[in-house]
Structures are given as C-alpha cells and as structure tokens.
Amino acid sequence: MSSTAAQVAQAVNASPAAGSLVQASLAGSGTGVVQSQSVTALAPAIVEAGPFAGSYGTSFANSPGFPQDAAVSYGSGAAIAASSLFLYVRDTNQQPAFYIYDLLVAPLSWNGLDSLLLRGFWPNEGSIEQLKIVGLAAQTTPVPEGSSLALLVAGLGALAGSRRTRRSAK
C-alpha cells in the first residue's frame, strides 16, 4: 500500500492521540509517495550503565524533588556519534506528557560536545521526571577507493584472459 505525504500528514493530524503530540506539515506539494520503512527500535544512547555514562553528566535545578531545569554536559571520553539522535523529556503528570527534540537538525545541530540546557518545562506545575537521549548508531558503509576498484577489475580481466588462453591452447 502506498500513501502520499499529504495523506500521511492528514492521517496524523486527524488522529486525536497523534494530534495531541505532534502536528504534521508539508514542505512541498505533498504528492510524493511515502516509502514504507521497517521498524527500528531506538536504543538509549545515554543510560546509567551505558557506554556514554562516564562521558556525560546531567544536573537538575530548582529543587531535588521537583526539577524543572536540567543540563547535560560532556566531560571527557567517548562522545555520542549517531545518524539519528533525539532528546526525550517527560513528566507523565503534565500535558503534553513529553517533548521530543531532534538533536541533529537546526536550530539545535548538536555536536555531542556542547552542553544541552533545558529550561522552562511545565513551569510551576511539573518537573522533569525523565530525561534520555536516544538514537541510532552512525552506520558507515565502506566504499572502495578508485585504485582498489581498478585493481579488482584488472585482476578479473587477467583471470578471464588466462581462461581464454588455456582454452585456445587445448
């Protein structure tokens, strides 16, 4: 089944559950066909026992039991490198219950080294209950260099030539 971008945006905006979380909009005409994607679970990039736990620190402000502000700061060690990276801030007692920010697009364009300062979430009503950075690890696909590719083609050509020579010698 195929859907256009306009149809997907319309379906998202028509859903009361989705509409309370996001508002879909179109950057173009909306006539392009949306390609289906396989489901990929996002894995936490910062967790208490994760690989980046020693590299980053999180401090909360306002009060220990009712933090409304937070800062995520890089200290040292491995920095997060990901192809998709999102900041998730939650307080289940408030509306909206959570905020999700794409850390890799403007205006954030987070490089993994700058501090993230979080202020003004649910002022005087709620607190930051949970703060996570989730993402997909950056995946690189090695691309052969031109010289390696030329060497491979030359080797295959020599192999094909030697087979012809053997056949004609028989």
Side-chain angles (χ1 to χ4, degrees), residues 5-101:
Q7 290 169 325
V8 171
Q10 182 181 14
V12 168
N13 292 335
S15 165
S20 68
L21 301 174
V22 296
Q23 178 69 36
S25 62
L26 301 172
S29 66
T31 58
V33 175
V34 177
Q35 300 297 320
S36 63
Q37 301 288 321
S38 61
V39 175
T40 305
L42 295 177
I46 295 181
V47 292
E48 290 73 18
F52 302 107
S55 301
Y56 293 88
T58 303
S59 58
F60 295 94
N62 304 89
S63 73
F66 200 72
Q68 293 176 323
D69 300 339
V72 177
S73 302
Y74 172 77
S76 64
I80 295 174
S83 57
S84 298
L85 204 55
F86 301 92
L87 173 66
Y88 174 78
V89 183
R90 178 179 87 155
D91 181 353
T92 54
N93 295 319
Q94 302 303 313
Q95 286 296 324
F98 57 87
Y99 293 92
I100 299 175
Y101 299 95

Side-chain angles (χ1 to χ4, degrees), residues 3 30 39 57 80 97 99 104 106 108 117 124 128 134 139 142 147 161 164:
S3 301
V39 175
I80 295 174
Y99 293 92
L104 299 182
L108 298 176
L117 302 175
N124 302 318
I128 297 175
V134 296
Q139 298 179 1
S147 58
R164 282 191 202 143

Side-chain angles (χ1 to χ4, degrees), residues 99-123:
Y99 293 92
I100 299 175
Y101 299 95
D102 187 339
L103 292 173
L104 299 182
V105 298
L108 298 176
S109 303
W110 191 54
N111 63 11
L113 302 176
D114 294 334
S115 293
L116 295 173
L117 302 175
L118 312 173
R119 294 194 175 107
F121 289 94
W122 311 285

